[in-house]
Amino acid sequence: MPQQYILALDQGTTSSRAILFDRQGHIVAQAQKEFTQIFPRPGWVEHDPLEIWATQAGVAAEATVKAGQNGRSIAAIGITNQRETTIVWHRQTGRPVYNAIVWQDRRTAAFCEQLRVDGHEELIRQKTGLVLDAYFSASKVRWILDNVPGARRQAEAGELAFGTVDSWLIWNFTQGGLHVTDVTNASRTMLLNIHSLQWDEELLALFDIPRSMLPVVRASSEVYGETKTTVFASKIPLAGIAGDQQAALFGQQCTGPGMVKNTYGTGCFMLMNIGEKPRASRHNLLTTVAWQIGNQTQYALEGSIFMAGAVVQWLRDQLGIIRTAAEVEALARQVPDSGGVCFVPAFAGLGAPHWNPHARGTLFGLTRASTAAHIARAAVEAIAFQTLDVLRAMQADADLPIRELRVDGGAAANELLMQFQADVLGARVLRPRLLETTALGAAYLAGLAVGYWGGLDELRALNPADTTFAPQADRAVIDAGVAQWHRAVRAAQHWAQDVPPTAAPA
């Protein structure tokens, strides 16, 4: 029997990627293509759904051809995607009625604020595990229905379909044969009751969205159907779906309660597996579905840090003290510590667990002796301190001990950051051999569904930790640094609080 592979499609916010994995979890071939970012007005972010589909189909074909394979050699396709991004299209023609409204888009913020004023916040939180925010899909769907001529009438007549990006891709791969999503993506729409895993009639009424628009909610690992397009020479099972952060959690093998992963990208997304029952957060974290395999559903707590790799980009692009992001580690290593400098990188406010949109980036503790190296060191330390704050909130919410943190993303390559992270957490930091954990998670889910891999025990051996960072620093020194960090965060928030209303930050 010829060698078979799993094709993972990773549809992200700025590019579409396709990666072919073999049975050992190794990358056989990959392809990537960026697509257009559309900014019609300040705070609005859109994508062309047809370009999303064209680029994703294109890289899927390209990766397969690169490997010298055809459709018959692909055992299954797994899909992972940018979450919350919202697409509405005509069932008859398959044509979008409007551009995709991206998760970053803020046009519905005023509507969400009105819902809060009207007293709906607690209901939404209790049913969905989410904070009431324009970030999620529900208010975006409503905006399309209210602002695209004829859309609401067509929706009420059953002529329109709504989906997140996974639904849109599967609709196109099956030429309109399947309108499905999985529980992880459904849990980010603000329309799914995460306790029953069903679309919620009360929430649909609140957002005025016809139920007929919604996809069927399925598990994260099952055969949904087969491809019908000409992208591949033969039909291939579509067998796994998960939103990008949940896919990374699964790719990191965080399959037991208390296991945590942190993705160090532009910002940080930290997720903790909390087991088979959802828990409401008391510390401003989100409760979300981690995945569903068979009849077993796992839940997660999620915390977002707005500025991680973006801090390093600021040192490079705005401050000019490094030429490439990779240089920050060498610069920071020129000094043994930050020399009393503390950097709160709240350029876009503070995320979890503080949620202060008015806070702004602040440097404390500067003296005549402070150098570029001290600032670089403080920037690296700030990423680790922010991660500590979210992890402590997770620990308190879940009442679970944290023994280790699994890491991925670009900044996970920074050895200084990873060691300092272990020191600050007082726990091991595990970095896997393969950092493409999002695509790998989608591949695992699809492979399990078709029997390509036998089960979780087989998967655990596929992407072992490449490097383990254990705590080494003097705990008293670390505790003093943590105390200084929290003092700086309080000061930054106090600064924002004292701004006169006429000069409030945008």
Side-chain angles (χ1 to χ4, degrees), residues 84-419:
E84 299 95 18
T85 294
T86 299
I87 305 172
V88 175
W89 65 92
H90 288 280
R91 292 186 178 277
Q92 193 75 29
T93 65
R95 303 285 298 183
V97 304
Y98 189 78
N99 277 339
I101 301 181
V102 180
W103 57 272
Q104 300 158 317
D105 190 282
R106 303 300 300 170
R107 76 186 66 185
T108 59
F111 171 71
C112 291
E113 182 56 36
Q114 187 58 52
L115 287 180
R116 183 175 293 108
V117 169
D118 292 344
H120 299 296
E121 184 171 24
E122 188 51 41
L123 170 80
I124 289 171
R125 182 102 195 202
Q126 188 274 321
K127 290 192 173 203
T128 69
L130 307 176
V131 296
L132 176 51
D133 195 84
Y135 181 56
F136 305 103
S137 309
S139 62
K140 303 179 194 300
V141 181
R142 181 190 171 108
W143 187 93
I144 290 173
L145 296 183
D146 287 345
N147 289 275
V148 174
R152 181 163 293 283
R153 175 186 54 77
Q154 291 170 327
E156 289 170 352
E159 297 169 10
L160 299 186
F162 149 67
T164 42
V165 171
D166 56 308
S167 298
W168 171 244
L169 293 178
I170 288 178
W171 175 278
N172 282 283
F173 271 119
T174 60
Q175 296 183 339
L178 281 175
H179 185 207
V180 299
T181 189
D182 91 300
V183 288
T184 70
N185 281 291
S187 75
R188 311 297 292 195
T189 61
M190 207 176 270
L191 296 170
L192 187 88
N193 186 314
I194 61 169
H195 306 278
S196 67
L197 301 181
Q198 302 290 321
W199 298 122
D200 190 274
E201 295 294 345
E202 194 172 2
L203 294 174
L204 289 169
L206 182 63
F207 287 95
D208 201 11
I209 296 170
R211 189 187 178 98
S212 63
M213 297 180 69
L214 274 56
V216 176
V217 181
R218 305 276 288 268
S220 309
S221 178
E222 65 171 285
V223 177
Y224 313 106
E226 294 181 325
T227 59
K228 293 181 182 176
T229 65
T230 56
V231 176
F232 306 105
S234 58
K235 294 179 179 179
I236 303 171
L238 294 154
I241 309 171
D244 53 9
Q245 299 307 323
Q246 288 98 327
L249 188 71
F250 195 71
Q252 284 274 32
Q253 293 297 307
C254 294
T255 52
M259 299 183 76
V260 190
K261 74 90 190 171
N262 197 27
T263 298
Y264 295 81
T266 302
C268 283
F269 284 95
M270 187 185 295
L271 272 74
M272 173 197 273
N273 185 321
I274 55 171
E276 296 181 29
K277 292 185 177 177
R279 292 170 181 246
S281 173
R282 303 181 307 278
H283 299 86
N284 293 317
L285 304 176
L286 306 180
T287 306
T288 195
V289 179
W291 54 75
Q292 183 182 30
I293 299 174
N295 293 321
Q296 187 184 61
T297 303
Q298 298 274 302
Y299 292 87
L301 288 173
E302 178 174 326
S304 302
I305 296 165
F306 298 154
M307 295 288 154
V311 183
V312 178
Q313 292 167 350
W314 181 78
L315 297 180
R316 180 194 66 195
D317 300 338
Q318 268 68 42
L319 219 53
I321 62 175
I322 52 175
R323 286 173 299 174
T324 67
E327 289 178 8
V328 72
E329 182 174 357
L331 179 59
R333 283 189 184 277
Q334 290 178 13
V335 290
D337 54 49
S338 69
V341 176
C342 196
F343 188 178
V344 181
F347 297 116
L350 286 167
H354 309 288
W355 290 110
N356 185 329
H358 302 299
R360 288 295 178 264
T362 319
L363 274 165
F364 294 100
L366 293 172
T367 70
R368 286 287 300 273
S370 301
T371 66
H374 290 115
I375 293 173
R377 183 98 185 189
V380 169
E381 291 180 356
I383 298 171
F385 285 136
Q386 290 180 103
T387 300
L388 171 69
D389 287 349
V390 176
L391 201 62
R392 282 185 171 173
M394 285 186 171
Q395 240 173 333
D397 273 342
D399 197 25
L400 292 167
I402 308 297
R403 297 184 182 88
E404 65 184 33
L405 176 67
R406 302 189 176 201
V407 299
D408 54 59
N414 186 320
E415 304 268 324
L416 176 65
L417 170 60
M418 293 299 99
Q419 182 57 57

